[in-house]
């Protein structure tokens, strides 16, 4: 059996691990699709970030039985051809959960404990114990979204003794969420929130889901953190809410336009913290992605059911 | 029965709570010891921060049976007179655990995720995703100290999937610590640490417990955080370790001299983060302290054993 990988710069330790563990399998680690293309026709398994496949390449890969996508996004996959050929697709769904949950907790701590003020004091050699360090424990977190990232964020929030409330399309119960509600019930739970953490994907239903009226019903002391999609709320509505002090602070990792334009008012607004859409970036990404592949390859060789199976009809 | 409190500015909600819950007990909430002194002779119970008592006042308080100290420090208590009179003493041991554990986690996240760099980028309206955001999960934390603060810090560290190792005089096992060792074994565990978190009190045995040789055996990537006492390590040794890159970063909340002098090199050192001995300060301090008193008062009236009893012979 042949595994062809188009992933660039796979660390030697990972290559060695696979070659030693699966000695009956041939691994061809290529530096990108251009190099991998030569071997596609022999591949039984193809490892990719999912952005380099098209109809022609699927046709060329005549022995292909399984595509392991080391990414969570599937937008550019040629699912029609994949379905016709009956090729199995799996991805690394949930891989962003740990870095994004750490992002959320670190930013809640940073804002609550006035890190910017304290760092400025340090620059001035100023020993000043007056800034109030609000604790995050015992607060209420409302999560917009209840998937893997929301659950991992809620799990950490529970360690800080928070109450966790999830809001999703279905409103179904999920691990680490004390309560769950449907999107229609959003306005019922927002007044309770100390922290609103948005991890919603961008769909027709979530675009501009939050508007002025939502911020108006939130606590004046509350914090809004968006690490989902930038089109959950309009910049104008959010800026108005901040300037009217309807909420205390917004932490934004995603924006309607990215990169956030140099002249955008968010950069200068005292009660807005801007980060450059990096909440999901992690130095552990590649090792973690190959761990999922490792588990699945083991299952594949034992003819067991794979994890993170994608339905080519739905694309997720 | 009469309870006299010398605690200044007790919120009305707390006064009301006690007056309503314990309607058979008379509460005299005074604004400091000067006012409280007038009532000491009638007090059965005295509530204090523990810094305002002396031999004369104990003599004056002829009915006193219990001193509730709303502090963890007991250095200024006249224990000889207290012991002679057989007065019960309790304190709020452990009250600093939550804010200090949050301090530790927030600073580990701040340093690991390069918050200073990102805040500087934000000031410059700079969208730059290159700073590496190291995660804190799956790391190894060595805690110097295994008391309430260390345990609460370790509990949060476990939520981040860390391995937690405690070092104490006895080396006894404690909750949330995967392994525990004696101080004599310190050098055996330091090479394993990604994070060394010091919460040791100042005693003869812990003064200058850490020196150059300890930093030399730590990982170059490791972080040292001291929120215990400033005399655990000499500033000179620590600065040398940082400048020689024997460790990657030091987060310091406590110092040999406090406030840290304006001209001290720690302020300017890139890989040292200075905070003004505030890890234990919390806006929730007074409510939490009165919660401990509440629990103990309930026990006292039922003639049950009190929590956080102090042995006047040992002073802790």
């Amino acid at each position: 059996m042949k595994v062809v990988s188009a992933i660039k710069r796979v660390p030697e330790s990972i290559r060695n691990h696979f070659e030693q563990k699966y000695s009956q399998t041939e691994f061809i680690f290529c530096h990108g699709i251009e190099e991998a293309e030569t071997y596609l026709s022999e591949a039984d398994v193809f490892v990719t970030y999912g952005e380099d496949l098209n109809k022609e390449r699927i046709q060329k890969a005549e022995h292909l039985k399984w595509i392991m996508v080391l990414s969570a996004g599937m937008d550019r996959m040629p699912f029609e051809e994949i379905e016709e050929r009956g090729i199995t697709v799996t991805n690394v769904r949930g891989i962003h959960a740990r870095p994004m949950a750490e992002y959320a907790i670190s930013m809640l701590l940073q804002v609550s404990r006035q890190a910017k003020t304290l760092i400025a004091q340090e620059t001035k050699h100023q020993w000043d114990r007056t800034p109030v360090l609000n604790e995050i424990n015992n607060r209420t977190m409302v999560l917009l979204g209840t998937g893997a990232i929301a659950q991992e964020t809620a799990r950490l929030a529970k360690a800080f003794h928070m109450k966790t409330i999830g809001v999703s399309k279905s409103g179904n119960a999920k691990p680490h969420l004390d309560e769950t509600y449907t999107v229609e019930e959003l306005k019922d739970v927002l007044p309770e929130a100390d922290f609103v953490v948005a991890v919603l994907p961008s769909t027709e239903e979530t675009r501009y889901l939050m508007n002025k009226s939502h911020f108006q019903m939130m606590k004046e002391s509350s914090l809004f953190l968006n690490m989902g999609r930038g089109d959950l709320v309009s910049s104008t509505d959010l800026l108005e809410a901040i300037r009217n002090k309807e909420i205390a602070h917004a932490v934004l990792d995603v924006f309607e336009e990215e990169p956030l334009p140099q002249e955008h008012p968010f950069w200068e607004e005292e009660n807005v913290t801007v980060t450059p859409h990096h909440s999901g970036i992690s130095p552990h990404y590649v090792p973690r992605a190959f761990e999922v592949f490792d588990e699945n390859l083991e299952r594949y060789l034992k003819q067991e059911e794979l994890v993170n199976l994608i339905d080519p009809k739905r694309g997720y």
Side-chain angles (χ1 to χ4, degrees), chain A:
Chain A
M1 194 181 85
K2 255 186 205 167
V3 173
V4 175
S5 160
I7 307 295
K8 293 178 180 177
R9 286 179 289 274
V10 178
E12 212 182 320
S13 56
I14 293 177
R15 298 178 188 219
N16 290 344
H17 167 80
F18 278 91
E19 282 159 356
Q20 281 162 24
K21 178 167 172 184
Y22 305 98
S23 54
Q24 305 298 310
T25 301
E26 187 183 343
F27 291 91
I28 306 172
F29 290 101
C30 303
H31 189 71
I33 187 66
E34 290 73 22
E35 193 187 334
E37 195 138 30
T38 328
Y39 305 98
L40 267 185
S41 62
E42 317 160 29
D44 298 286
V45 181
F46 185 58
V47 185
T48 166
Y49 283 131
E51 299 186 333
D52 50 14
L53 284 175
N54 55 32
K55 196 178 160 177
E56 292 68 37
R57 286 177 177 145
I58 295 293
Q59 286 169 347
K60 195 181 283 183
E62 49 185 359
H63 298 293
L64 195 60
K65 288 165 207 79
W66 171 28
I67 303 170
M68 173 77 223
V69 184
L70 299 192
S71 148
M74 311 253 90
D75 306 344
R76 303 210 207 156
M77 292 281 284
F79 277 119
E80 223 179 287
E81 289 70 32
I82 288 168
E83 200 199 344
E84 263 173 36
R85 285 267 307 277
I87 296 169
T88 299
V89 177
T90 60
N91 73 356
V92 289
R93 199 157 50 208
I95 195 169
H96 298 298
R98 285 211 186 168
M100 289 182 75
E102 280 204 14
Y103 171 85
I105 297 295
S106 75
M107 296 312 286
L108 297 187
L109 285 165
Q110 178 174 310
V111 174
S112 301
R113 305 178 68 85
Q114 302 203 58
K116 283 182 186 175
T117 303
L118 288 157
I119 290 168
Q121 284 182 188
E122 188 184 13
T123 312
K124 291 180 275 183
H125 301 203
Q126 192 182 327
W127 184 276
D128 180 352
R129 305 170 85 186
T130 51
V132 176
L133 309 183
N134 278 307
E135 297 173 20
I136 66 169
N137 71 69
N138 278 327
R139 303 292 170 134
T140 296
M141 181 188 281
V142 169
L143 292 126
L144 310 187
T146 62
I149 299 162
Q151 287 170 37
E152 175 66 4
T153 307
R155 191 187 64 75
L156 287 177
K158 291 307 297 174
F160 286 92
H161 303 290
M162 285 192 223
K163 177 175 176 184
T164 55
I165 300 173
V167 177
S168 67
K169 201 175 160 184
S170 71
N172 288 344
K174 289 287 166 63
H176 311 299
L177 292 165
D178 296 323
E179 299 170 8
T180 43
Y181 297 90
T182 64
V183 171
E184 288 71 36
E185 295 166 303
L186 177 58
K187 288 199 175 178
D188 301 330
V189 297
L190 280 179
E192 241 195 281
D194 296 301
F195 307 129
V196 173
V197 175
V199 281
L200 285 169
S202 180
T203 66
E204 276 307 308
E205 287 129 337
T206 61
R207 287 191 73 222
Y208 301 106
L209 177 72
M210 282 192 75
N211 58 43
K212 289 180 197 188
S213 66
H214 294 93
F215 295 112
Q216 278 157 10
M217 58 182 39
M218 284 168 64
K219 287 185 195 171
E220 283 176 22
S221 58
S222 67
L223 185 154
F224 171 74
L225 184 152
N226 190 2
M227 56 179 183
R229 293 291 177 226
D231 59 6
L232 173 73
V233 53
S234 90
S235 301
T236 321
D237 282 9
L238 182 52
L239 201 59
E240 203 182 303
I242 287 285
R243 288 181 173 166
N244 291 345
K245 302 200 179 300
E246 284 156 16
I247 63 170
H249 204 98
V251 173
L252 306 173
D253 193 45
V254 291
F255 305 89
E256 288 180 286
E257 186 186 347
E258 291 185 13
L260 185 67
Q262 277 250 332
E263 68 286 0
H264 198 286
F266 279 160
W267 290 109
E268 289 288 328
E269 196 66 29
E270 198 190 339
N271 291 318
V272 174
T273 297
V274 170
T275 58
H277 201 159
H278 68 187
S279 59
I281 301 177
S282 166
H284 307 292
Y285 188 92
V286 171
R288 260 183 207 142
F290 274 99
E291 273 171 33
V292 179
F293 176 49
D294 194 359
E295 182 184 346
N296 259 346
L297 185 54
E298 223 179 287
R299 288 166 177 262
Y300 187 81
L301 294 171
K302 291 189 201 154
Q303 300 185 305
E304 290 173 6
E305 194 183 15
L306 305 190
V307 300
N308 294 357
L309 275 170
I310 300 301
D311 176 353
K313 275 204 188 67
R314 297 186 308 172
Y316 60 89

